[in-house]
Amino acid sequence: MNESALRDMINRDQVWPRMAAKYGVENPVPPWKTSLDGLCDALDRADCEAGVPTVKERRDDEDVLVATTYADLPYPENQLVALAHSLLERGVISEADLAQRMAAVRARLEAT
């Protein structure tokens, strides 16, 4: 797996503490955290689908990735990237699809 979409995301260094300070936001929790939590809940219920990790597999992946590969990212960015990494590894989402979805989100954000 190439993971260039994940590297691109990390290289932007747009972690919540930095972005919140830049835009004067005082909320310590990023607005997308509830969506991440909802996605994790949906994955927990879909673990019978092909390739979707079980709750234990997802959490084990997250523990390893957050402690190693994504140790330099703050929480919850490290949780988000670890989840994407795990889903890519298992073929739940493709690198191209992830990149396309990230580009669509970025376009919507930059259009406002």
Side-chain angles (χ1 to χ4, degrees), residues 34-104:
T34 54
S35 296
L36 174 60
D37 292 341
L39 176 60
C40 289
D41 289 346
L43 288 169
D44 292 350
R45 289 175 181 78
D47 67 9
C48 61
E49 300 294 323
V52 175
T54 65
V55 175
K56 182 178 180 339
E57 290 170 332
R58 186 174 51 78
R59 291 191 179 152
D60 287 349
D61 286 353
E62 182 180 324
D63 288 345
V64 170
L65 291 165
V66 164
T68 57
T69 307
Y70 305 117
D72 292 337
L73 288 174
Y75 176 83
E77 282 86 349
N78 58 10
Q79 180 187 18
L80 173 66
V81 177
L83 175 61
H85 182 120
S86 182
L87 296 177
L88 285 166
E89 277 291 319
R90 287 180 165 72
V92 176
I93 188 169
S94 71
E95 179 90 21
D97 195 30
L98 178 62
Q100 177 189 16
R101 290 172 190 230
M102 288 171 39

Side-chain angles (χ1 to χ4, degrees), residues 11-34:
N11 290 339
R12 287 183 185 274
D13 198 30
Q14 293 180 323
V15 296
W16 181 245
R18 177 187 311 266
M19 300 310 293
K22 179 179 178 178
Y23 293 103
V25 177
E26 295 179 12
N27 188 343
V29 179
W32 49 263
K33 178 66 169 104
T34 54

